Every structure is written in structure tokens, then in C-alpha cells.
Amino acid sequence: FASYNPIYGQTCNPHAKSRSPGGSSGGEGAIIGGGGSILGVGSDIGGSIRIPANFCGIYALKPTSGRLSLVGYFGTKSLSGQKLVPPADGPMGRDVESLVQFMEAVLCQDLFRLDPSTPPIPFRRDVYENRKPLKIGYYVYDECTRCVPAVEKAVMLAKAALEKLGHTMVETSPYKAAYAYHKILMPALLADDGEGYKDLLKYDDSCGLMYELFHFHRKPYYERWFWAKLKELAGFNPMVTETMKREQMKTITDWFLKANEAKKFRKEFTKTWQEQGLDAVICPCMPCVATTSGVDAQLPTAVTYTSLYKRGVHAYVVNFPAGSLPVTKVTKSDVAKTMDSSFYEAKTGIEKIIQADSEGTEGLPVGIQVVGLPYTEELVLRLMRELDSALKADAPYIPVHTSVHTSI
């Protein structure tokens, strides 16, 4: 969730030049958020569409993996053959209607003919325009990293707006988010011990987040385990130390067993929604707003909020579509609460980094996610449109489209 390259350097957030636009589709988020484009396409494997949308104050949709064709999408070496964590392409734009127009235009017979592996499901406008009240879950904490007050406020503002529209809101909690991250996502993404990234990063150390992760996970298991134990003794966050001890895939049998574990988890996760009768869920995108450039390298485990709803993050487990939209902006009061331990008690190292980095975030956009069951993109967009309209009616949100920087 960072955007650097050795040619142009750091990509900047259009709302604050010292801040990150998120990533990995951060360039797309920055140019749209800065008023230089009206629509673009990003790719997402654990939040790479939704995080830049959240940081840059724009709208985006990560579809169900497979709903849109990936013909023309390319990877490298083992990365393109890794199927437990498939990517998804999706639209990013200045408003919900832009996303709807994109999906309606792309989901057509021409696409289905060009790529017969794509499910021939055209955009269902009847679902998008439906007015039936829904049962929607919400939460502000995934039991991994606590959100700053501004993010919690955004979720609760959205919850209140949806209640006014007649929807039933129920507090819920994500099912075993830390387990999915440590036991399925990381082992799947790094099953080749980073071999697929070797050539990509051989001469490119511009992104600290990616570069440091790559080199650390190239180390033998016993060495990573040793450093993890030292970190544990030093009181480091278990989210960090468990990631460091990421188990290795030594054989094809290990990979098959991991696929079975992922399938089992997906079934359990979906069952929790069915038992509660949920049509959708709203929740944070990230536990923080746009980070200072470079701080992202210290927050690799902060992506559990977006990664939970990617087929990738529960590695083939929860293939749920998720949209991101701006809800509010950070206020002086929000910053003061974040810095006040009685409002935001930073217990882990990651939470302390987020707390310290929250100074100077006044005015930055704060977004949330709207999540639906597989192949319900139309329902997700419907809720995004209803929520956006309701929030603007109560307290207009005006995206900043005036401060375009040449360094983007």
C-alpha cells in the first residue's frame, strides 16, 4: 500500500504532499483525487484499490475475483502462476455513478466473447435500483489493529445514515481476521520465498515497505523464527512477530493442504454471514488515514481490514466484492482525541506509530468499505450511492480537486 519507483520517486497524496496516496494503485488514486482524471482502473490483491481510494478521498470498487476479465493483465515468473491469491481489477473514480457506468459498459457480450472464462453476468440494473431494506452489519475493530477516532467516526456516521434510510444495522465482528492473515494469506503470497519478486526488486530499493519485506522473507525459516522470538521478548505486537514466523511451503503437498485449509475457512466465514442474515457489511478500510510517506514501511500488518474481503487475503477464502467511498474529513477534535490516550489507547507498536503519525492529519479524507457477498457488485454500488447521497444531504463532502502537484 505504497507508491514509489526509482524513476519518479515518491508519489504524493493530492491532499497533502508529505503524505502517501496509498497503493499499490496509488498513482491512479492520486491523479483522480487531484482532479487530473475522472476514471481509472486499479488492481487489488489485498486492498490495492480500496486503500488509495481511502487515502485520496475517491470512490472505488474491488469486484469479486473473476467478475471482470484479467486478459491483458500480466505478472512475472511464479507470481502469475500463484492461484490461491488471484488479483482483481476494478474501477476508481470521482463518484459512484462513474463506477456504475464503467461496470455497465464493461460487463457486456463483447467481454464474454473475448474471454469465455468470465461469467456471462451483465450489469443488473434492477439490483442496483432496488429499494428493498437490507440487513447490514458494521464494526470498527477487527481485533488486529485499533482504528483512530476519525475512522471509527466515519463508520458510525455511515451506520446512522443507513439507519435513517430504513436499513437494519447490527453490530458484528470479522471472523478470525488474524488467523486468515498469518495462516493463509502470508504463506500463500510468499510460498516461493519471494522468488517471483527477485528480478523485480534486484535494482529497485525505492519502496522500503516492499524491499524490506522481500529481503526478510528470503531468509531461512530458522533465522526468521529467531528474530521473531527476540521481538516477542522485546514486547512487539504479535501481529508482527507471527508474520515474521510465516510457515514455509516445502512441498506440493503443503500447497494442497493450504488450499484445503483456505476452502474450509471460506466456508466457515460465509456461514457467519448466513447465520446473521447479513446482506452487506460496512467497516474501516484502514485503521488510519493517509500516512506520512515512508511510514507505510512500518505498517505491513495494518492491511487486515481490506485483506479480509479479498479472495487473496483469505487466500481463496472470502471472494467478496468491496467498495470504498469517502465519508468525512479529519477534524482538529479527531486529531486531539487520537493524541489523547484516554480516547485512543495505543497498545501495540503499530498503533503507537499510527498515533504519532496522526499529527497534522486535519482535513484529510476518511473513507469506509461497503462489502457484499460474491457477485453482488450491484448491491454494493447501490449501498454506496444511497450512503453517499444521504451523507451529502446531511453534511456535504466536497473532494479537494484543486491542489495538483507536479511531483505526482
Side-chain angles (χ1 to χ4, degrees), residues 37-233:
S37 175
I38 59 171
L39 183 71
V41 178
S43 58
D44 196 311
I45 205 166
S48 291
I49 288 174
R50 291 157 289 158
I51 294 171
N54 183 50
F55 281 8
C56 296
I58 65 171
Y59 301 74
L61 175 69
K62 191 285 298 179
T64 308
S65 296
R67 182 81 195 263
L68 295 179
S69 172
L70 289 180
V71 169
Y73 185 99
F74 66 94
T76 177
K77 290 192 174 180
S78 58
L79 294 181
S80 57
Q82 191 284 113
K83 299 302 182 184
L84 274 188
V85 191
D89 285 354
M92 304 169 70
R94 293 195 199 179
D95 49 46
V96 178
E97 187 57 30
S98 296
L99 311 184
V100 172
Q101 289 185 23
F102 174 91
M103 293 296 286
E104 200 161 27
V106 172
L107 294 173
C108 63
Q109 290 305 315
D110 284 343
L111 172 69
F112 307 142
R113 280 195 299 269
L114 287 167
D115 185 2
S117 67
T118 304
I121 309 171
F123 188 83
R124 296 162 295 189
R125 187 158 277 275
D126 59 322
V127 176
Y128 175 64
E129 295 177 347
N130 197 302
R131 294 292 184 271
K132 177 185 175 183
L134 302 172
K135 187 175 183 181
I136 304 169
Y138 71 94
Y139 63 88
V140 295
Y141 180 42
D142 67 357
E143 299 181 359
C144 295
T145 305
R146 201 168 294 280
C147 293
V148 296
V151 174
E152 290 190 359
K153 179 184 74 174
V155 175
M156 299 311 291
L157 283 171
K159 180 241 180 190
L162 289 170
E163 277 181 326
K164 285 183 180 179
L165 293 173
H167 300 295
T168 300
M169 305 299 298
V170 293
E171 188 170 8
T172 185
S173 60
Y175 180 71
K176 295 168 70 172
Y179 168 86
Y181 182 85
H182 295 307
K183 298 300 183 182
I184 300 177
L185 171 66
M186 293 305 290
L189 282 179
L190 293 163
D192 66 346
D193 292 329
E195 183 68 25
Y197 295 97
K198 186 169 68 173
D199 288 344
L200 292 175
L201 298 175
K202 188 175 181 179
Y203 303 110
D204 181 5
D205 60 357
S206 61
C207 179
L209 174 61
M210 197 68 197
Y211 193 74
E212 296 301 326
L213 277 174
F214 162 70
H215 280 284
F216 182 79
H217 284 282
R218 294 283 288 170
K219 298 180 185 297
Y221 177 76
Y222 69 86
E223 191 173 340
R224 289 189 286 104
W225 185 90
F226 173 76
W227 283 108
K229 295 304 290 185
L230 288 180
K231 296 288 187 181
E232 284 178 0
L233 292 173

Side-chain angles (χ1 to χ4, degrees), residues 272-334:
T272 64
W273 273 48
Q274 293 171 330
E275 289 174 344
Q276 296 174 80
L278 299 178
D279 297 299
V281 164
I282 61 169
C283 62
C285 275
M286 285 284 280
C288 55
V289 296
T291 58
T292 301
S293 298
V295 170
D296 40 44
Q298 304 174 58
L299 304 173
T301 59
V303 300
T304 51
Y305 286 92
T306 51
S307 62
L308 184 65
Y309 296 108
K310 180 68 189 76
R311 186 174 187 165
V313 171
H314 284 331
Y316 186 70
V317 186
V318 270
N319 186 14
F320 289 16
S324 175
L325 75 159
V327 169
T328 185
K329 294 181 181 179
V330 181
T331 65
K332 281 186 179 180
S333 175
D334 294 330

Side-chain angles (χ1 to χ4, degrees), residues 329-358:
K329 294 181 181 179
V330 181
T331 65
K332 281 186 179 180
S333 175
D334 294 330
V335 175
K337 288 178 180 179
T338 303
M339 309 313 293
D340 186 340
S341 59
S342 63
F343 284 97
Y344 182 73
E345 186 179 359
K347 296 181 179 180
T348 67
I350 288 175
E351 290 171 356
K352 290 174 182 177
I353 292 168
I354 289 173
Q355 184 179 47
D357 193 52
S358 294

